[in-house]
């Protein structure tokens, strides 16, 4: 065999190697794609019975809460001493919220210290209304948690703290407020951080399970924190460093050249 015959055989050998290389590369890319089981929510179970305790959820008042409490009556002038307001410099009247102290009490006009910690807003309304019946005819009481907020951190599109006006929000609504999870967020290992009665809890949440709807943690309490952990793709990409774009560009050029050689 002469030298001229060796060159085509060598070129053929190189081409076969390149073809094998691209086959393995394609397989690696396909196997590296995320499975829908790691991305989709609520994958298991066809039927779900909601628990009554979840449907009728009410937030519980705790230490550090600020309560807006308004008292009215068919005789408005008699209700004035039971409301807490202040006159501002612009002569506008501002309602002053009640701070729940470490003992779960608020300093209410006329009555003094009133225990509200551990009660829902509806229970506080009933309690104050009963106390007011000695002084007012048909009193009406409204109670709202003024500083009800939750925080969403980690792999979401817009992490931050969010003030909730209606005092009722579930974990899915909270995630929606934060713009949903990014593709790099773990759906199976979300952590709910909750502080109640001086105890801090770290509660696991799995968005891929429909059991979430029956979880006692489905509805959030004030000051809850949701943390979404990063998946392996995000962690691995952070190890590559700032040269990632250069490497990808170089690899693209090499692939284009290889394709030309194969053809």
């Amino acid at each position: 065999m002469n030298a001229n015959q060796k060159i085509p055989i060598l070129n053929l050998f190189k081409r076969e190697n390149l073809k094998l290389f691209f086959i393995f590369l394609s397989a690696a890319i396909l196997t590296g794609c995320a499975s829908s089981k790691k991305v989709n929510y609520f994958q298991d179970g066809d039927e779900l019975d909601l628990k009554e305790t979840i449907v009728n959820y009410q937030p519980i008042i705790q230490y550090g809460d600020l309560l807006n409490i308004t008292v009215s009556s068919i005789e408005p002038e008699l209700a004035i001493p039971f409301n807490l307001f202040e006159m501002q410099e612009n002569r506008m009247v501002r309602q002053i919220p009640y701070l729940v102290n470490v003992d779960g009490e608020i300093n209410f006009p006329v009555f003094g210290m009133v225990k509200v910690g551990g009660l829902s807003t509806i229970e506080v309304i009933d309690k104050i209304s009963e106390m007011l019946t000695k002084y007012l005819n048909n009193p009406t009481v409204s109670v709202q948690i003024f500083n009800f907020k939750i925080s969403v951190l980690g792999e979401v599109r817009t992490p931050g703290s969010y003030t909730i006006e209606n005092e009722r929000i579930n974990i899915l609504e909270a995630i929606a407020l934060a713009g949903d999870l990014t593709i790099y967020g773990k759906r199976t290992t979300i952590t709910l951080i909750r502080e109640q009665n001086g105890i801090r809890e770290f509660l696991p949440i799995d968005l891929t399970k429909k059991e979430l709807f029956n979880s006692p943690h489905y509805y959030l309490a004030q000051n809850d924190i949701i943390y979404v952990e990063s998946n392996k793709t995000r962690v691995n990409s952070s190890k590559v460093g700032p040269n990632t774009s250069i490497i990808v560009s170089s690899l693209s050029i090499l692939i284009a050249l290889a394709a030309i050689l194969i053809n």
Side-chain angles (χ1 to χ4, degrees):
M1 181 179 294
N2 57 37
N4 292 332
Q5 291 176 328
K6 290 181 180 180
I7 293 175
I9 295 175
L10 183 61
N11 289 338
L12 178 62
F13 178 73
K14 290 181 179 178
R15 290 178 183 178
E16 289 299 327
N17 282 347
L18 285 173
K19 288 180 180 180
L20 288 174
F21 168 76
F22 282 107
I23 290 172
F24 283 119
L25 180 62
S26 300
I29 293 173
L30 290 174
T31 55
C33 294
S35 169
S36 61
K37 291 184 178 180
K38 296 182 179 180
V39 178
N40 294 336
Y41 300 160
F42 326 127
Q43 300 170 27
D44 62 330
D46 297 326
E47 298 180 358
L48 183 68
D49 294 325
L50 289 177
K51 296 178 181 178
E52 190 67 17
T53 53
I54 297 295
V55 175
N56 296 329
Y57 173 82
Q58 290 290 329
I60 302 300
I61 295 170
Q62 54 186 317
Y63 163 63
D65 284 348
L66 293 173
L67 306 180
N68 274 339
I69 302 178
T70 304
V71 177
S72 59
S73 173
I74 57 175
E75 300 172 302
E77 65 281 359
L78 296 180
I80 294 176
F82 299 99
N83 289 281
L84 203 58
F85 295 96
E86 69 173 1
M87 184 72 70
Q88 297 180 311
E89 294 181 358
N90 56 5
R91 295 187 179 182
M92 296 292 292
V93 177
R94 183 182 76 90
Q95 186 176 20
I96 302 175
Y98 297 86
L99 176 64
V100 181
N101 65 20
V102 68
D103 296 320
E105 299 175 331
I106 59 172
N107 191 1
F108 198 80
V110 181
F111 300 130
M113 304 308 294
V114 177
K115 181 77 171 181
V116 296
L119 303 178
S120 67
T121 53
I122 292 178
E123 290 172 329
V124 174
I125 289 174
D126 293 338
K127 182 174 184 175
I128 294 178
S129 296
E130 184 177 355
M131 297 169 65
L132 288 170
T133 54
K134 299 178 181 179
Y135 304 90
L136 303 175
N137 292 324
N138 299 321
T140 301
V141 179
S142 66
V143 178
Q144 182 182 24
I145 301 176
F146 181 70
N147 60 336
F148 193 110
K149 68 179 180 63
I150 53 96
S151 300
V152 188
L153 306 174
E155 285 295 341
V156 292
R157 300 186 188 281
T158 54
S161 294
Y162 298 89
T163 300
I164 311 302
E165 295 183 358
N166 62 2
E167 304 173 7
R168 179 184 170 106
I169 183 172
N170 61 53
I171 190 169
L172 299 178
E173 292 171 329
I175 290 174
L177 281 177
D180 202 0
L181 275 65
T182 68
I183 196 64
Y184 302 110
K186 280 189 177 181
R187 271 67 174 164
T188 57
T189 54
I190 292 174
T191 301
L192 173 61
I193 305 171
R194 174 171 294 177
E195 293 187 14
Q196 284 187 335
N197 303 320
I199 299 175
R200 183 181 292 111
E201 296 180 283
F202 294 84
L203 308 166
I205 300 294
D206 187 347
L207 293 181
T208 66
K209 304 293 184 182
K210 290 184 179 179
E211 297 172 358
L212 172 64
F213 291 96
N214 278 337
S215 169
H217 314 305
Y218 177 66
Y219 285 100
L220 301 180
Q222 56 272 43
N223 303 315
D224 275 358
I225 299 174
I226 299 171
Y227 174 69
V228 180
E229 186 178 348
S230 300
N231 59 22
K232 289 183 179 180
T233 303
R234 171 66 81 185
V235 174
N236 292 337
S237 65
S238 66
K239 296 178 182 178
V240 176
N243 297 323
T244 305
S245 59
I246 298 175
I247 294 172
V248 172
S249 299
S250 301
L251 184 59
S252 299
I253 294 172
L254 290 174
I255 291 173
L257 290 173
I260 294 173
L261 291 174
I262 291 176
N263 293 330

